[in-house]
Amino acid sequence: MASFSVKTAKLHPLVLLVAIAGLCFAAKGQLTPSFYDHICPQALPTIKAIVQSAVYNEPRMGASLLRMHFHDCFVHGCDASVLLDQTPAINSEKFARPNNNSLRSFEVIDRVGSQLDRVCGCPVVSCADILAVTARDSVVALGGPWWNVPLGRRDSADAYQALANLAIPSPFMELPALIDSFKDQGLDIIDLVALSGAHTIGSAQCRVFRPRIYSDTNIDTSFANSLQQNCARSVGQTDSNLAPLDPTSARFDTMYYKNLVNQKGLLHSDQALFGGGSTEELVKTYNSDYQAFWRQFAKSMVKMGNIKPLTGYDGQIRTNCRRVN
């Protein structure tokens, strides 16, 4: 069951309790990829297996898990606050405008947490670390790069719905607003363009790309016309209809950047990266050199994952990712 053993024959119950508690708790102040190597060496293989299964059953789930980590880190840092359910004391981020009826894959995180408790013997892996590792493993499962994920985050005891409404970049943003949004998180334009490449996987709802396909002028006409077949001009029945963010939405490649060069970005904020501004040359680079994109994407994911993490004795390790202990 657990990744450790304690010889119990001659131990006083209180001593045994203290021994187990020590194995179930680790407090360090610095993130490191080896954080769980001794306290639960089966943690990362367990997460990988669950993510691979989830993505195999539904490739779109990979994009959802990656997006969850992004939406967590941009709101008060990478602390798993996005996972907390609504309670009288918690104003859940799940109901913030960027997340409501949009953010998904919570059940995969639940499955990971439950299985980790079994293989580790106790709640030792934080929900914030689960989000970081599932994001990486989702990218790998869809053919993208692997990177060492620094670990040792702890979980928030609160959620920040109002901040989520302000801090998560909007799909309607222009380039200056996007740059400022990332700058607020300590991320530069290189990070902006590389992390936007996450839109090489997954889909978006009609309600977020409707203004682009009916009003934008920097869009390929045939591309806009094809999308209009499944997304009506008027608000209503087609709002939740999906369109792929790029034609190979189940494969982590560079098609996203090719789309931007050809004015086929699905979201207004995507196409804003390629319009003569400071990000255009980076789009061209990643379009023509997938290795450059993969390298920078991995670096930027690590950088994003380091946004204001709770470490050491700050925060908690939630026994249920949906609830405060």
Side-chain angles (χ1 to χ4, degrees):
M1 177 182 73
S3 60
F4 60 85
S5 63
V6 178
K7 294 183 179 180
T8 62
K10 297 182 180 181
L11 287 181
H12 186 279
L14 180 59
V15 175
L16 175 59
L17 180 62
V18 172
I20 293 175
L23 287 165
C24 290
F25 178 78
K28 297 180 181 178
Q30 187 173 2
L31 302 184
T32 170
S34 62
F35 188 84
Y36 297 106
D37 284 3
H38 298 294
I39 55 177
C40 186
Q42 291 304 309
L44 299 191
T46 298
I47 297 173
K48 179 181 177 181
I50 295 173
V51 170
Q52 284 182 328
S53 175
V55 174
Y56 177 81
N57 290 329
E58 184 189 355
R60 183 177 166 228
M61 192 62 71
S64 298
L65 288 164
L66 178 58
R67 184 169 179 251
M68 182 94 76
H69 182 44
F70 182 94
H71 281 218
D72 180 45
C73 290
F74 263 62
V75 181
H76 210 263
C78 307
D79 59 5
S81 59
V82 71
L83 299 175
L84 289 170
D85 284 342
Q86 185 82 8
T87 72
I90 297 291
N91 203 14
S92 176
E93 293 169 30
K94 295 177 181 181
F95 297 102
R97 286 189 299 272
N99 299 333
N100 193 26
N101 295 319
S102 172
L103 210 60
R104 59 196 295 271
S105 73
F106 296 104
E107 70 281 1
V108 177
I109 303 300
D110 292 340
R111 199 179 316 146
V112 170
S114 178
Q115 186 63 20
L116 285 175
D117 287 352
R118 284 193 284 271
V119 301
C120 299
C122 51
V124 69
V125 182
S126 70
C127 303
D129 278 349
I130 290 173
L131 289 179
V133 177
T134 56
R136 188 272 309 278
D137 289 349
S138 293
V139 170
V140 173
L142 292 173
W146 183 94
W147 61 93
N148 264 321
V149 178
L151 300 166
R153 300 168 189 80
R154 289 168 64 82
D155 301 325
S156 173
D158 204 354
Y160 310 93
Q161 185 183 122
L163 182 59
N165 284 325
L166 297 173
I168 297 173
S170 161
F172 312 113
M173 278 184 170
E174 302 290 352
L175 182 58
L178 287 169
I179 292 173
D180 286 345
S181 177
F182 275 67
K183 185 177 179 181
D184 288 344
Q185 306 297 336
L187 302 172
D188 58 27
I189 64 167
I190 297 175
D191 301 311
L192 165 61
V193 180
L195 291 173
S196 294
H199 286 176
T200 189
I201 56 176
S203 304
Q205 296 181 10
C206 163
R207 63 186 178 87
V208 299
F209 63 82
R210 175 185 285 119
R212 170 150 171 75
I213 65 173
Y214 284 102
S215 301
D216 284 4
T217 57
N218 60 341
I219 186 169
D220 178 85
T221 303
S222 61
F223 176 66
N225 289 340
S226 67
L227 290 167
Q228 289 169 10
Q229 305 307 308
N230 196 42
C231 181
R233 183 187 293 271
S234 57
V235 174
Q237 290 184 335
T238 64
D239 286 6
S240 299
N241 287 0
L242 297 173
L245 284 159
D246 83 17
T248 56
S249 60
R251 187 167 70 242
F252 198 92
D253 55 22
T254 59
M255 184 61 72
Y256 167 80
Y257 298 107
K258 182 177 181 180
N259 282 354
L260 301 188
V261 172
N262 293 323
Q263 294 193 323
K264 294 182 179 181
L266 182 63
L267 305 181
H268 182 90
S269 57
D270 287 332
Q271 195 61 54
L273 300 179
F274 193 83
S278 57
T279 55
E280 184 163 303
E281 288 304 314
L282 285 167
V283 171
K284 291 179 181 178
T285 296
Y286 298 151
N287 175 47
S288 61
D289 187 347
Y290 83 91
Q291 290 182 331
F293 166 49
W294 278 22
R295 285 193 300 270
Q296 187 56 54
F297 184 82
K299 290 179 183 178
S300 294
M301 284 296 293
V302 171
K303 188 174 177 181
M304 184 184 77
N306 282 328
I307 298 174
K308 295 185 247 182
L310 298 172
T311 60
Y313 294 95
D314 294 331
Q316 58 184 235
I317 305 297
R318 289 194 220 126
T319 58
N320 182 325
C321 288
R322 293 175 178 263
R323 296 194 294 269
V324 174
N325 291 347

